[in-house]
Amino acid sequence: MTSPPPRVTEPDPSAARAPGLVGPCAGCQRPTHKYGAGGRPLCQWCMDPVVARYGSTVRYVSAR
Ligand SMILES: [Zn+2]
C-alpha cells in the first residue's frame, strides 16, 4: 500500500497468475489480470486508491 507503483511497463503481479486473461489496466494500461478479483480491470496500484475511497465492496468504478 505504501510502496510506489512500478513503471507502467511492468505488468501487474496478477497478470502472471492469469495467463490468457491479461489485458490493459483501465487506469494506467499496464498488463494486468483483466478479470481479477471482483472483475475489476485495474491493476493493484490503480485499485488501492479506489478501495480507499469507496471500500473493497465496490464492483465497478467509472474512469471518470
Ligand atoms: Zn493500473
Side-chain angles (χ1 to χ4, degrees):
M1 186 70 92
T2 56
S3 59
R7 293 190 300 184
V8 297
T9 50
E10 293 293 320
D12 185 74
S14 65
R17 296 193 298 266
L21 292 174
V22 177
C25 168
C28 65
Q29 308 300 305
R30 89 171 69 242
T32 190
H33 184 184
K34 198 169 185 177
Y35 302 103
R40 307 180 190 103
L42 290 169
C43 71
Q44 66 182 51
W45 296 282
C46 291
M47 199 62 220
D48 279 347
V50 173
V51 170
R53 187 172 173 187
Y54 297 102
S56 59
T57 57
V58 67
R59 295 181 62 81
Y60 179 78
V61 176
S62 174
R64 17 189 159 274

